[in-house]
Amino acid sequence: MTLRSTSRAAAFAALTSAFLVTLGAGFASAQTPAAKPATAAPATPAAALPPASDSLPVPPPPQIQGTAWVLIDAVSGNILASHNPDLRVEPASITKVMTSYVIAAELKGGKVKDTDQVMMTENAWRKGGAATDGSYSGFAVNQTAPLVEMEKGMVVQSGNDAAIALAEHVAGSEDAFAALMNQYAARIGLKNSHFVNPHGLSQENHYSTAHDLALLGRALIHDFPVAYSYNKIKELKVGPITQPNRNLLLWRDNTVDGIKTGHHSKAGYCLMASALRGDQRLISVVMGSTSEAQRATDSQALLNWGFRFYETHKLYDTSKVIAQQKVWKGQTAQVQLGVAEPLLVTVPRGKYAQLKPSMDVPKSLVAPIKKGQAIGTVKVMLDGKVIAQRPLVAMAAVEEGGFFKRLWDEFWMWWESE
């Protein structure tokens, strides 16, 4: 036995003797910790594998008529297919998705209420009402309507007048509202967008990209599902006027539930569309198409291609224990780890069996630990790249143990660190 081993053994014997004298042999033997468990890796997802024929390479996406387009997975935001995704283009009335996001955020923050009476001002009516060449909501000038109804007029009927009225109500003026739009755009992570009005009519320095707009749609769906739900309304009646939603896919595909059309002479025909099939949601954006019919046809083709050649799997739900980790100085010896939000991944069909989950957890956890406290990360890799990751959180609290439990664990932490 070496001198180091002898000194460690002597230290251990001395401490054990002290505990035996203080607490009795029974307590001391009961507190002796078991061997430290190895970090548990997440279980391999247990869903059935796709048919072998699906393991073929993903074919090219369909030919799209447009200056820029993109298809993304709504779970991760990853691009599945694209053409000129970061080209700056005029967003036309797809701008109103940003307007909807700002209104929803201000509602959540208590700045406005959905029952607020919004005035259709003369300014809003003259710039965006029935006398203009653009789309309008039909609300009467110098009269009010509840904010939620005015917003539906903007979303379903693409009312430019409603967008202006809402901007004036929320921020006092269109310019002030545009400043809010850009602040929220930066928060969402839109890197190539700048907004100067709430409606999308052509104006200098008002631009976005197909990729940014797809990310904007994803953010609205995730952050404000109630506001997003207005986009699937097929028609809206305001006074004696009934107008249809211009998104033709709402009538063609019952899995499509949004999002927004756009058109003017400089932007061409544009469509941001989204569909949900099972656990899988995809978002397409087609900019600068040649006609209303063509933008719908191309958007449908992109969505169908994505759903055919990619699949989404739920790997971990919020109720699932992914792993257990040892805790020092706690009333209980372990903490159960899981995820705060379901972990879903979208992969090419046939790649599911190649997913490689892993965990990164601190080597030493010390009580107290709060329920929901972030403790490490679970990652999912495919072909050597991280395709999804989520924080691991404590599924239950671990309270601090008593004095002697803490003292005993303090010794064992020192012992194992040597």
Side-chain angles (χ1 to χ4, degrees):
M1 182 179 293
T2 65
L3 179 61
R4 176 179 175 83
S5 298
T6 302
S7 63
R8 284 166 60 93
F12 172 71
L15 185 66
T16 302
S17 176
F19 266 86
L20 289 173
V21 170
T22 307
L23 303 173
F27 179 86
S29 60
Q31 293 297 312
T32 303
K36 184 178 181 180
T39 300
T44 300
L49 297 179
S53 61
D54 273 346
S55 62
L56 296 173
V58 175
Q63 294 293 318
I64 304 299
Q65 294 186 29
T67 55
W69 55 266
V70 69
L71 178 71
I72 71 167
D73 160 42
V75 170
S76 65
N78 292 338
I79 293 177
L80 304 183
S82 67
H83 172 69
N84 290 334
D86 297 318
L87 176 69
R88 288 184 177 180
V89 293
E90 293 201 39
S93 280
I94 296 180
T95 297
K96 296 179 177 102
V97 180
M98 188 73 244
T99 302
S100 289
Y101 190 95
V102 173
I103 293 169
E106 295 294 286
L107 280 167
K108 183 178 179 180
K111 307 294 179 60
V112 292
K113 298 179 180 178
D114 56 11
T115 55
D116 283 358
Q117 292 297 308
V118 177
M119 174 68 71
M120 177 58 69
T121 65
E122 187 168 341
N123 176 64
W125 182 77
R126 288 188 180 279
K127 286 184 177 180
T132 66
D133 292 332
S135 51
Y136 65 97
S137 66
F139 290 102
V141 62
N142 292 325
Q143 294 188 24
T144 64
L147 183 146
V148 66
E149 295 304 316
M150 189 72 73
E151 184 175 3
K152 290 176 183 178
M154 177 188 71
V155 171
V156 180
Q157 298 166 317
S158 199
N160 297 323
D161 53 350
I164 297 171
L166 287 163
E168 291 173 339
H169 180 82
V170 171
S173 69
E174 290 182 79
D175 289 343
F177 188 84
L180 283 179
M181 295 172 76
N182 290 316
Q183 290 172 19
Y184 280 109
R187 185 178 299 180
I188 294 169
L190 310 189
K191 298 180 179 179
N192 293 295
S193 297
H194 187 265
F195 302 97
V196 297
N197 66 57
H199 42 69
L201 294 175
S202 186
Q203 195 168 341
E204 186 178 358
N205 212 29
H206 186 87
Y207 60 83
S208 189
T209 68
H211 188 200
D212 271 10
L213 293 174
L215 295 178
L216 169 61
R218 175 176 179 251
L220 181 65
I221 292 166
H222 180 270
D223 297 346
F224 304 112
V226 173
Y228 176 69
S229 70
Y230 303 154
N231 291 273
K232 66 182 178 182
I233 299 173
K234 291 184 177 181
E235 62 180 24
L236 186 68
K237 184 176 182 180
V238 176
I241 302 173
T242 299
Q243 297 188 63
N245 193 315
R246 290 176 170 80
N247 183 357
L248 298 181
L249 296 189
L250 294 175
W251 282 266
R252 298 181 183 180
D253 184 342
N254 61 11
T255 68
V256 172
D257 54 11
I259 306 177
K260 190 72 189 73
T261 61
H263 171 256
H264 59 62
S265 59
K266 292 184 178 180
Y269 290 86
C270 311
L271 175 58
M272 177 197 293
S274 182
L276 178 66
R277 301 179 188 177
D279 286 333
Q280 186 176 12
R281 179 179 285 282
L282 301 180
I283 299 171
S284 66
V285 176
V286 174
M287 306 298 292
S289 189
T290 55
S291 69
E292 184 176 7
Q294 191 64 50
R295 72 186 178 189
T297 298
D298 285 347
S299 297
Q300 183 75 78
L302 273 177
L303 292 170
N304 287 343
W305 176 86
F307 283 116
R308 170 59 185 86
F309 295 106
Y310 289 83
E311 57 187 348
T312 297
H313 292 276
K314 182 183 289 185
L315 302 189
Y316 302 115
D317 211 338
T318 54
S319 60
K320 181 179 178 62
V321 176
I322 296 178
Q324 296 188 89
Q325 191 75 3
K326 179 174 178 55
V327 177
W328 297 103
K329 303 183 182 181
Q331 292 182 6
T332 56
Q334 292 184 327
V335 62
Q336 294 182 333
L337 303 179
V339 289
E341 295 184 357
L343 175 54
L344 295 90
V345 294
T346 298
V347 295
R349 291 190 181 274
K351 292 282 191 176
Y352 178 73
Q354 300 174 31
L355 295 177
K356 295 181 179 180
S358 63
M359 272 196 338
D360 182 10
V361 180
K363 292 182 179 179
S364 182
L365 298 177
V366 180
I369 294 174
K370 297 178 181 179
K371 181 179 180 180
Q373 180 177 328
I375 301 174
T377 305
V378 58
K379 299 179 180 179
V380 182
M381 301 188 70
L382 179 65
D383 297 333
K385 297 179 180 179
V386 176
I387 63 169
Q389 65 180 35
R390 292 287 187 280
L392 282 168
V393 299
M395 301 188 71
V398 178
E399 301 296 335
E400 196 174 51
F403 171 76
F404 290 108
K405 176 63 165 65
R406 299 197 307 274
L407 180 62
W408 186 251
D409 279 5
E410 183 69 34
F411 168 75
W412 278 102
M413 290 174 68
W414 166 78
W415 181 269
E416 294 192 2
S417 68
E418 287 293 311

